[in-house]
Amino acid sequence: MTAPVLGKVEWQPTADVPGLLAAPVRAALGEIPAYAAAIDPGLADTAAFCAEYDVPMAASANCVIVLGKRAGEATYAAVLVLATDRADVNGVIRKHLGVRKISFAAQDDAVASTSMEYGGITPIGLPPDWPVLVDEAVAQAGPVVIGSGIRGSKLLLDGAELAKLPTATVLDLAQH
């Protein structure tokens, strides 16, 4: 595979750099064609990463973990939107999950539940019963940068691959 050029990072096939992936991400990546690049962990947050490494915000996707509740039942889900957009958590996402209340999962809960580092949580390698809600713009974006499960690296893959994850649903999730 010829490594893509995006920003000022050195993308390498994930099979060649397993240490750049959190264990659950490494285990779940399988045959998904993806690349990884080492970054400064202090620059893992999207805005800082994009500014430092010259990656357009429109080529980056944020993954947030939400927690919905209804009648004492809790539902975790991953939500992916482009870094240029905001997820409609209280509208589309809450309704799709069929929950009465919804919020962003607490940092400690998100880290413990995913076995990934905060700031690096990604939809690949999440618990198998978690819905993964992918915004249409992410699925159509072409090459997109996402977390790798750790703060010290990023993944690059086609957004359409995220739509193929076993529990993925593509929706119009961005606030308009």
Side-chain angles (χ1 to χ4, degrees):
M1 292 197 299
T2 302
V5 176
L6 180 62
K8 297 185 290 188
V9 291
E10 184 180 330
W11 298 106
Q12 301 174 70
T14 53
D16 295 350
V17 287
L20 293 181
L21 309 173
V25 177
R26 207 172 30 250
L29 202 54
E31 299 301 311
I32 297 173
Y35 298 86
I39 64 163
D40 178 338
L43 299 170
D45 294 334
T46 305
F49 165 78
C50 288
E52 177 66 23
Y53 295 103
D54 201 23
V55 172
M57 295 281 279
S60 297
N62 289 327
C63 178
V64 295
I65 305 301
V66 296
L67 175 61
K69 295 180 181 177
R70 181 184 192 98
E73 293 288 316
T75 302
Y76 283 97
V79 176
L80 261 85
V81 294
L82 291 177
T84 54
D85 296 330
R86 290 178 48 133
D88 185 2
V89 174
N90 286 309
V92 175
I93 297 163
R94 182 182 59 78
K95 289 175 188 158
H96 178 79
L97 295 175
V99 295
R100 192 177 281 296
K101 291 182 181 177
I102 193 164
S103 60
F104 294 105
Q107 180 176 334
D108 292 347
D109 288 345
V111 169
S113 299
T114 63
S115 299
M116 297 182 203
E117 294 177 4
Y118 192 78
I121 294 175
T122 193
I124 299 168
L126 292 174
D129 58 339
W130 284 20
V132 175
L133 307 180
V134 180
D135 185 60
E136 293 171 342
V138 173
Q140 298 168 2
V144 66
V145 176
I146 61 173
S148 65
I150 63 172
R151 290 183 63 87
S153 65
K154 293 285 185 181
L155 282 177
L156 177 66
L157 69 161
D158 193 298
E161 294 295 330
L162 298 168
K164 296 178 191 174
L165 293 173
T167 61
T169 302
V170 177
L171 299 165
D172 182 4
L173 300 174
Q175 287 182 327
H176 298 288

